[in-house]
Amino acid sequence: DTEVTQTPKHLVMGMTNKKSLKCEQHMGHRAMYWYKQKAKKPPELMFVYSYEKLSINESVPSRFSPECPNSSLLNLHLHALQPEDSALYLCASSQTGQEEKAFFGQGTRLTVV
Amino acid sequence: QKEVEQDPGPLSVPEGAIVSLNCTYSNSAFQYFMWYRQYSRKGPELLMYTYSSGNKEDGRFTAQVDKSSKYISLFIRDSQPSDSATYLCAMTANAGGTSYGKLTFGQGTILTVHP
């Protein structure tokens, strides 16, 4: 099983809303990632959790707040987003923090209105 | 200069053709190389993974890595319309190297295989 599950698949939120994206994997991977992907562009790394600790924050604005409650779950809390934050948000996991053989979820398509 | 360069295409080929997709990179610390396939509005799917120079074959797909030239390729034999997607090369470094823990992507090549 190489599945990474993301919910919801689609999300529309206003600029004053608070919402959360969820990601789950049951492959026993100890590293999990959040990526942002705009149309016709490659994914851009946002955060890396390694062994449930935040190891990389790519200078992401504080309106994005990651959380790793346990080794199988990863959340991304969203607050006061801007329309330019509309994108496909991808979660990935890999065996270790070296990110080789990273498996991606299907993403959450976020629209900020 | 980007760390990873990939021709964005688009690339259009007839069904049954051999497709060659390529990436070059500048960071000699990159040790792990991957190819992902991404269908429209879906997440990237890992196709091939390799960490050594040489060829690796999986069905119709062959990944080739030349570390001395900093060049990787993906070959698709007997291409099918279902292969139509964006193909992304990606790479990451060993522990202690720059870009450790980060997957660096090429820009992606849009491939269309027409019947």
Side-chain angles (χ1 to χ4, degrees), chain A residues 45-75:
Chain A
L45 183 65
M46 299 174 73
F47 302 104
V48 180
Y49 273 85
S50 182
Y51 293 86
E52 298 160 51
K53 293 191 188 318
L54 183 66
S55 60
I56 295 177
N57 176 344
E58 289 287 273
S59 303
V60 178
S62 59
R63 58 186 184 269
F64 296 91
S65 175
E67 179 196 19
C68 189
N70 60 55
S71 60
S72 300
L73 293 174
L74 186 66
N75 298 322

Side-chain angles (χ1 to χ4, degrees), chain A residues 17 26 29 32-33 36 41 46 50 54-55 59 66 68 78 82 86 98 105 109 111:
Chain A
N17 292 159
H26 295 290
H29 288 172
M32 296 184 77
Y33 313 83
K36 173 182 176 180
K41 297 287 187 186
M46 299 174 73
S50 182
L54 183 66
S55 60
S59 303
C68 189
L78 314 173
Q82 304 297 308
S86 299
Q98 287 191 184
R109 186 157 299 281
T111 303

Side-chain angles (χ1 to χ4, degrees), chain A residues 37 97-99 102 106 109, chain B residues 32 36 38 42 101-103:
Chain A
Q37 188 177 26
Q98 287 191 184
E99 209 171 350
Q106 291 302 297
R109 186 157 299 281
Chain B
Y32 301 94
Y36 287 88
Q38 187 172 23
K42 300 289 186 184
K102 302 181 184 183
L103 202 59

